[in-house]
Amino acid sequence: MRLAAKVEKIDTSPTLAITARANALKAEGEDIISLGAGEPDFSTPTHVKEAAIKAIEEGFTNYTATVGIKDLREAICDSIKEDRGVEYSSDQVIVSSGAKNSLFNAILALVEEGDEVILPAPYWVSYTEQIKFAGGRPVVVDTLEENGFKLTVEELKQAITPKTKVLILNSPNNPTGSVYTKGELEKIAQVIIEEDLFVISDEIYRKISYEAKATSIVSLGEEIKKRTVIIDGVSKAYAMTGWRIGYGVGPTKVIEAMARLQSHSTSNANSVAQKASLAAIAGTQKPTEEMLKAFDKRRDIITDVINDIEGMKANKPKGAFYLFVNIKDLLGMTVKGRKVEDDLTLAELILEEVGVAVVPGTAFGKEGYIRLSYATSEEDIKEAISRIKGFVELYS
């Protein structure tokens, strides 16, 4: 049997593969600490769970409109107005089965065969595969560590060709934790407007920003707003990864196209989860604020201990809950007769030898790095880094 070529060229998600491998080892009785998953270790807030229970008890278990219930879409608009200072109407919002689903819909709605999509590296693993599925070509721009792994306006201009259609921007960023400043975004927005391009702004980590509220590119004026689709959701900010609710917000024409796609694929997102998400977005934000405080404390801990390991160094993240660690000085060392030639090998050995799951930077388009998630307990973070330190000191 021959599968469709568009599916054959898509790679499996490396982050999910690492998590699956770690879980398999745990099931075999191995003592594994995972710093791989991008999933808060907190429980979904009580008032959100209660809203879901109420929805079930009241029989809210049928199909909804493809784009989502109006109350939720209006709450999303209210949240964006309050948080970003930008107004949208409910018909400019589509609720999907997770932010990944929203992103996929947006890419399929905007990207045609042969279109180029500019993608700053390091990047989230699914961007490239979704672009390829749509028939587009990812144009990867290798950003610099000394620039905080952020796309500069000069790099953007150099990457633009007559085939360029879209820029994907992710701030706060996965895997680096970098956050674009207002000034940096203003320069990027000006180029986008001048070149008549489109931006997909992945803001799923927006509420997990430590030193200042992250600026959204749509807040910089009507012209850039007309060229931008925001991707967001409840997974990260409200510890609701398994509820699978994300959303896209943007120009009516694009949202209508995304809705047509969704009507023939997933249809509406889970009805009960929509009611829970309404409670999350429109209700108290205190649980999110408490979660942010915990992440901030963990951020300090993991950054300090990693930078204390010879051969490892990392910038302190300003958002999200990841540390992107430079391990280039460890390449070439030998572990039990096996030479560490790249970050893939190092990640495998760290898991096999000391039972800590990390994600190689190659998965994010950046060789010579590993990503550590600190969306886990302080105890696990300290134990995991202690194991990694012992591993490095033994073999380097």
Coordinates of all heavy atoms in Angstrom, one line a residue, residues 310-376:
E310 N 29.7 22.7 34.5 CA 30.8 22.9 33.5 C 30.4 22.3 32.2 O 30.0 21.2 32.1 CB 32.1 22.3 33.9 CG 33.2 22.6 33.0 CD 34.3 23.4 33.6 OE1 34.4 23.6 34.8 OE2 35.1 24.0 32.8
G311 N 30.4 23.2 31.1 CA 30.0 22.7 29.8 C 28.6 23.0 29.4 O 28.2 22.7 28.3
M312 N 27.8 23.5 30.3 CA 26.4 23.9 30.1 C 26.2 25.4 30.4 O 26.7 25.9 31.4 CB 25.4 23.1 30.9 CG 25.4 21.6 30.5 SD 24.0 20.8 31.3 CE 23.9 19.2 30.4
K313 N 25.4 26.1 29.6 CA 25.1 27.5 29.8 C 23.7 27.8 29.2 O 23.4 27.2 28.2 CB 26.2 28.4 29.3 CG 26.4 28.3 27.8 CD 27.6 29.3 27.4 CE 27.9 29.1 25.9 NZ 28.9 30.1 25.5
A314 N 23.0 28.7 29.8 CA 21.7 29.0 29.4 C 21.3 30.4 29.7 O 21.6 30.9 30.8 CB 20.6 28.0 29.9
N315 N 20.6 31.1 28.8 CA 20.0 32.4 29.1 C 18.8 32.2 30.0 O 18.1 31.2 29.9 CB 19.5 33.1 27.8 CG 20.6 33.5 26.9 OD1 21.8 33.7 27.3 ND2 20.4 33.5 25.6
K316 N 18.6 33.1 30.9 CA 17.4 33.0 31.8 C 16.2 33.4 31.0 O 16.1 34.4 30.4 CB 17.6 34.0 33.0 CG 16.5 33.8 34.1 CD 16.9 34.7 35.3 CE 15.9 34.5 36.4 NZ 16.3 35.3 37.6
P317 N 15.2 32.4 31.0 CA 14.0 32.7 30.1 C 13.1 33.8 30.7 O 13.1 34.0 31.9 CB 13.3 31.3 30.2 CG 13.8 30.7 31.4 CD 15.2 31.1 31.6
K318 N 12.5 34.5 29.8 CA 11.6 35.6 30.2 C 10.1 35.2 30.2 O 9.3 36.0 30.6 CB 11.9 36.9 29.4 CG 13.3 37.4 29.6 CD 13.4 38.7 28.8 CE 14.8 39.3 28.9 NZ 15.4 39.3 30.2
G319 N 9.9 34.0 29.6 CA 8.5 33.6 29.5 C 8.5 32.1 29.3 O 9.5 31.4 29.2
A320 N 7.3 31.5 29.2 CA 7.0 30.1 29.1 C 7.6 29.3 30.3 O 7.9 29.9 31.3 CB 7.6 29.5 27.7
F321 N 7.9 28.0 30.1 CA 8.5 27.3 31.2 C 9.6 26.3 30.7 O 9.6 25.1 31.1 CB 7.5 26.6 32.1 CG 6.3 26.0 31.4 CD1 6.5 24.9 30.5 CD2 5.0 26.5 31.6 CE1 5.4 24.4 29.8 CE2 3.9 25.9 30.9 CZ 4.1 24.9 30.0
Y322 N 10.5 26.8 29.9 CA 11.6 26.0 29.3 C 12.9 26.7 29.5 O 13.0 28.0 29.4 CB 11.3 25.8 27.8 CG 10.0 25.2 27.5 CD1 9.0 26.0 26.9 CD2 9.7 23.9 27.8 CE1 7.8 25.5 26.6 CE2 8.4 23.4 27.5 CZ 7.5 24.2 26.9 OH 6.2 23.7 26.6
L323 N 14.0 25.9 29.6 CA 15.3 26.4 29.6 C 16.0 25.8 28.4 O 16.0 24.6 28.3 CB 16.0 26.0 30.9 CG 17.4 26.7 31.2 CD1 17.1 28.2 31.5 CD2 18.1 26.0 32.4
F324 N 16.6 26.6 27.6 CA 17.3 26.1 26.4 C 18.8 26.2 26.6 O 19.4 27.3 26.7 CB 16.9 27.0 25.2 CG 17.0 26.3 23.8 CD1 16.4 25.1 23.6 CD2 17.8 26.9 22.8 CE1 16.5 24.5 22.4 CE2 17.9 26.3 21.6 CZ 17.3 25.0 21.4
V325 N 19.4 25.0 26.7 CA 20.7 24.9 27.3 C 21.8 24.6 26.2 O 21.6 23.7 25.4 CB 20.8 23.8 28.3 CG1 22.2 23.8 29.0 CG2 19.7 24.0 29.4
N326 N 22.8 25.5 26.1 CA 23.9 25.3 25.2 C 24.8 24.2 25.7 O 25.4 24.3 26.8 CB 24.7 26.6 25.0 CG 25.8 26.5 24.0 OD1 26.4 25.5 23.8 ND2 26.0 27.6 23.3
I327 N 24.9 23.1 25.0 CA 25.8 22.0 25.4 C 26.9 21.7 24.4 O 27.5 20.6 24.4 CB 24.9 20.7 25.6 CG1 24.1 20.4 24.4 CG2 24.0 20.8 26.8 CD1 24.7 19.6 23.3
K328 N 27.3 22.7 23.6 CA 28.3 22.5 22.6 C 29.7 22.1 23.2 O 30.4 21.4 22.5 CB 28.4 23.7 21.7 CG 27.2 24.0 20.9 CD 27.3 25.4 20.2 CE 26.0 25.7 19.4 NZ 26.1 27.0 18.7
D329 N 30.0 22.6 24.4 CA 31.3 22.3 25.0 C 31.3 20.8 25.5 O 32.4 20.3 25.8 CB 31.5 23.2 26.2 CG 31.8 24.6 25.8 OD1 32.1 24.8 24.6 OD2 31.8 25.5 26.6
L330 N 30.2 20.1 25.5 CA 30.2 18.7 25.9 C 30.3 17.7 24.7 O 30.5 16.5 24.9 CB 28.9 18.4 26.7 CG 28.7 19.1 28.0 CD1 27.3 18.7 28.6 CD2 29.8 18.9 28.9
L331 N 30.1 18.3 23.5 CA 30.3 17.4 22.3 C 31.7 16.9 22.2 O 32.7 17.7 22.4 CB 29.8 18.2 21.1 CG 28.4 18.7 21.1 CD1 28.0 19.4 19.8 CD2 27.4 17.6 21.4
G332 N 31.8 15.6 21.9 CA 33.1 15.0 21.7 C 33.5 14.1 22.9 O 34.4 13.3 22.8
M333 N 32.8 14.3 24.1 CA 33.1 13.4 25.2 C 32.6 12.0 24.9 O 31.8 11.8 24.0 CB 32.5 14.0 26.5 CG 31.0 13.8 26.6 SD 30.4 14.5 28.2 CE 28.7 14.0 28.2
T334 N 33.2 11.1 25.6 CA 32.9 9.7 25.4 C 32.2 9.1 26.7 O 32.6 9.3 27.8 CB 34.1 8.8 25.1 OG1 34.8 9.4 24.0 CG2 33.8 7.4 24.9
V335 N 31.1 8.4 26.4 CA 30.3 7.8 27.5 C 30.2 6.3 27.3 O 29.6 5.8 26.3 CB 28.9 8.4 27.6 CG1 28.1 7.7 28.7 CG2 28.9 9.9 27.8
K336 N 30.9 5.5 28.1 CA 31.0 4.0 27.9 C 31.3 3.6 26.5 O 30.6 2.7 25.9 CB 29.6 3.5 28.4 CG 29.4 3.6 29.9 CD 28.1 2.9 30.3 CE 27.9 3.0 31.9 NZ 26.7 2.4 32.3
G337 N 32.3 4.3 26.0 CA 32.8 3.9 24.6 C 32.0 4.6 23.5 O 32.3 4.4 22.3
R338 N 30.9 5.3 23.8 CA 30.1 6.0 22.8 C 30.4 7.4 22.8 O 30.3 8.1 23.8 CB 28.6 5.7 23.1 CG 27.7 6.2 22.0 CD 26.3 5.9 22.4 NE 25.3 6.4 21.4 CZ 24.0 6.4 21.6 NH1 23.5 5.8 22.7 NH2 23.2 6.9 20.7
K339 N 30.8 7.9 21.6 CA 31.2 9.3 21.5 C 29.9 10.2 21.3 O 29.0 9.9 20.6 CB 32.1 9.5 20.2 CG 32.6 11.0 20.1 CD 33.6 11.1 19.0 CE 34.2 12.5 18.9 NZ 35.1 12.6 17.7
V340 N 29.9 11.3 22.1 CA 28.8 12.2 22.0 C 29.0 13.2 20.9 O 29.7 14.2 21.0 CB 28.6 13.0 23.3 CG1 27.4 13.9 23.2 CG2 28.3 12.0 24.5
E341 N 28.4 12.9 19.7 CA 28.7 13.7 18.5 C 27.7 14.8 18.4 O 27.9 15.8 17.6 CB 28.7 12.8 17.3 CG 29.8 11.8 17.3 CD 29.8 10.9 16.1 OE1 28.8 10.9 15.4 OE2 30.8 10.3 15.8
D342 N 26.5 14.7 19.0 CA 25.5 15.7 18.8 C 24.5 15.7 20.0 O 24.6 14.9 20.9 CB 24.7 15.5 17.5 CG 24.2 14.1 17.4 OD1 23.8 13.5 18.4 OD2 24.1 13.5 16.2
D343 N 23.6 16.7 20.0 CA 22.6 16.8 21.1 C 21.6 15.6 21.2 O 21.2 15.3 22.2 CB 21.9 18.1 21.0 CG 21.2 18.3 19.6 OD1 20.1 17.9 19.4 OD2 21.8 18.9 18.8
L344 N 21.4 15.0 20.0 CA 20.5 13.8 20.0 C 21.1 12.7 20.8 O 20.4 12.1 21.7 CB 20.3 13.3 18.6 CG 19.5 14.3 17.7 CD1 19.7 13.9 16.2 CD2 18.0 14.2 18.0
T345 N 22.4 12.4 20.6 CA 23.1 11.4 21.4 C 23.2 11.7 22.8 O 23.0 10.9 23.7 CB 24.5 11.2 20.8 OG1 24.5 11.0 19.4 CG2 25.3 10.1 21.5
L346 N 23.4 13.0 23.2 CA 23.5 13.4 24.6 C 22.2 13.2 25.3 O 22.1 12.7 26.4 CB 23.9 14.9 24.7 CG 24.1 15.4 26.1 CD1 25.3 14.7 26.8 CD2 24.4 16.9 26.1
A347 N 21.1 13.6 24.6 CA 19.8 13.4 25.2 C 19.5 11.9 25.5 O 18.9 11.5 26.5 CB 18.7 14.0 24.3
E348 N 19.8 11.1 24.5 CA 19.6 9.6 24.7 C 20.4 9.1 25.9 O 19.9 8.3 26.7 CB 20.1 8.9 23.4 CG 19.2 9.1 22.2 CD 19.7 8.4 21.0 OE1 20.7 7.6 21.1 OE2 19.2 8.6 19.9
L349 N 21.7 9.5 26.0 CA 22.5 9.0 27.1 C 22.1 9.5 28.4 O 22.2 8.8 29.4 CB 24.0 9.4 26.8 CG 24.7 8.6 25.6 CD1 26.0 9.3 25.2 CD2 24.9 7.2 26.0
I350 N 21.6 10.8 28.5 CA 21.2 11.3 29.8 C 19.9 10.5 30.2 O 19.8 10.2 31.4 CB 20.8 12.8 29.6 CG1 22.1 13.6 29.5 CG2 20.0 13.3 30.9 CD1 21.8 15.1 29.2
L351 N 19.1 10.1 29.3 CA 17.9 9.3 29.7 C 18.3 7.9 30.1 O 17.9 7.4 31.1 CB 16.9 9.2 28.5 CG 15.7 8.4 28.7 CD1 14.9 8.9 29.9 CD2 14.8 8.4 27.4
E352 N 19.2 7.3 29.3 CA 19.6 5.9 29.6 C 20.5 5.8 30.8 O 20.4 4.8 31.6 CB 20.4 5.4 28.4 CG 19.6 5.2 27.1 CD 20.4 4.9 25.9 OE1 21.7 4.7 26.0 OE2 19.8 4.8 24.8
E353 N 21.4 6.7 31.0 CA 22.4 6.6 32.1 C 21.9 7.1 33.5 O 22.2 6.6 34.5 CB 23.7 7.3 31.7 CG 24.4 6.7 30.5 CD 24.8 5.3 30.8 OE1 25.3 5.0 31.9 OE2 24.7 4.4 29.9
V354 N 21.1 8.2 33.5 CA 20.7 8.8 34.7 C 19.2 9.0 34.9 O 18.7 9.6 35.8 CB 21.4 10.2 35.0 CG1 22.9 9.9 35.2 CG2 21.2 11.2 33.9
G355 N 18.4 8.5 33.8 CA 17.0 8.5 34.0 C 16.3 9.9 33.9 O 15.3 10.1 34.6
V356 N 16.9 10.8 33.1 CA 16.3 12.2 33.0 C 15.9 12.4 31.5 O 16.8 12.3 30.7 CB 17.2 13.3 33.5 CG1 16.5 14.6 33.3 CG2 17.5 13.1 35.0
A357 N 14.7 12.7 31.3 CA 14.2 12.9 29.9 C 14.4 14.4 29.5 O 13.8 15.2 30.2 CB 12.8 12.4 29.7
V358 N 15.1 14.7 28.5 CA 15.2 16.1 28.0 C 15.0 16.0 26.5 O 15.0 14.9 25.9 CB 16.6 16.7 28.3 CG1 16.9 16.7 29.8 CG2 17.7 15.9 27.6
V359 N 14.8 17.1 25.8 CA 14.6 17.1 24.4 C 15.8 17.8 23.7 O 16.2 18.9 24.0 CB 13.3 17.9 24.1 CG1 13.0 17.8 22.6 CG2 12.1 17.4 24.9
P360 N 16.3 17.1 22.7 CA 17.4 17.7 21.9 C 17.1 18.9 21.1 O 15.9 19.0 20.6 CB 17.9 16.5 21.0 CG 16.7 15.6 20.9 CD 15.9 15.8 22.2
G361 N 18.0 19.9 21.1 CA 17.7 21.1 20.3 C 17.4 20.9 18.9 O 16.7 21.7 18.2
T362 N 18.0 19.8 18.3 CA 17.8 19.5 16.9 C 16.3 19.4 16.6 O 15.9 19.7 15.5 CB 18.5 18.2 16.5 OG1 19.9 18.4 16.7 CG2 18.3 17.8 15.1
A363 N 15.5 18.9 17.5 CA 14.1 18.8 17.3 C 13.4 20.1 17.0 O 12.4 20.2 16.4 CB 13.4 18.2 18.5
F364 N 14.1 21.2 17.5 CA 13.6 22.6 17.3 C 14.4 23.3 16.3 O 14.3 24.6 16.2 CB 13.7 23.3 18.7 CG 13.0 22.6 19.8 CD1 13.7 21.9 20.7 CD2 11.6 22.6 20.0 CE1 13.1 21.2 21.8 CE2 11.0 22.0 21.0 CZ 11.7 21.2 21.9
G365 N 15.1 22.6 15.5 CA 15.9 23.2 14.4 C 17.1 23.9 14.9 O 17.7 24.8 14.2
K366 N 17.7 23.6 16.0 CA 18.9 24.2 16.6 C 19.8 23.2 17.2 O 19.5 22.7 18.3 CB 18.5 25.3 17.6 CG 19.5 26.3 18.0 CD 19.7 27.3 16.9 CE 20.6 28.5 17.3 NZ 20.8 29.4 16.3
E367 N 20.8 22.8 16.5 CA 21.7 21.8 17.0 C 22.6 22.4 18.1 O 22.9 23.6 18.2 CB 22.6 21.3 15.9 CG 21.9 20.6 14.8 CD 22.8 20.1 13.6 OE1 24.0 20.3 13.8 OE2 22.3 19.6 12.6
G368 N 23.1 21.5 19.0 CA 24.0 21.9 20.1 C 23.3 22.4 21.3 O 24.0 23.0 22.2
Y369 N 22.0 22.1 21.5 CA 21.3 22.5 22.6 C 20.4 21.4 23.1 O 20.1 20.4 22.4 CB 20.4 23.8 22.3 CG 21.2 25.0 21.9 CD1 21.7 25.1 20.6 CD2 21.5 26.0 22.9 CE1 22.4 26.3 20.3 CE2 22.2 27.1 22.5 CZ 22.7 27.3 21.2 OH 23.4 28.4 20.9
I370 N 19.9 21.5 24.4 CA 18.8 20.7 24.9 C 17.8 21.6 25.5 O 18.1 22.6 26.1 CB 19.3 19.6 25.8 CG1 20.1 20.2 27.0 CG2 20.2 18.5 25.1 CD1 20.4 19.2 28.1
R371 N 16.5 21.1 25.5 CA 15.5 21.9 26.2 C 15.1 21.1 27.4 O 14.8 19.9 27.4 CB 14.3 22.0 25.3 CG 13.2 23.0 25.8 CD 11.9 22.9 25.1 NE 11.2 21.7 25.6 CZ 9.9 21.4 25.2 NH1 9.2 22.2 24.4 NH2 9.3 20.3 25.7
L372 N 15.0 21.9 28.5 CA 14.5 21.4 29.8 C 13.2 22.1 30.2 O 13.2 23.3 30.2 CB 15.6 21.6 30.9 CG 17.0 21.2 30.6 CD1 17.9 21.5 31.9 CD2 17.1 19.8 30.3
S373 N 12.2 21.3 30.5 CA 11.0 21.9 31.0 C 11.0 22.0 32.5 O 11.3 21.0 33.2 CB 9.8 21.1 30.5 OG 8.6 21.5 31.2
Y374 N 10.6 23.1 33.0 CA 10.5 23.2 34.5 C 9.1 23.3 34.9 O 8.7 23.8 36.0 CB 11.4 24.4 35.1 CG 11.2 25.7 34.5 CD1 10.3 26.6 35.0 CD2 12.0 26.1 33.4 CE1 10.2 27.9 34.4 CE2 11.9 27.4 32.9 CZ 11.0 28.3 33.4 OH 10.8 29.5 32.8
A375 N 8.2 22.7 34.1 CA 6.8 22.5 34.5 C 6.6 21.3 35.3 O 5.8 20.4 35.1 CB 5.9 22.5 33.3
T376 N 7.5 21.1 36.3 CA 7.4 20.0 37.3 C 7.9 20.5 38.6 O 8.3 21.7 38.8 CB 8.3 18.8 36.8 OG1 8.1 17.7 37.6 CG2 9.8 19.2 36.8

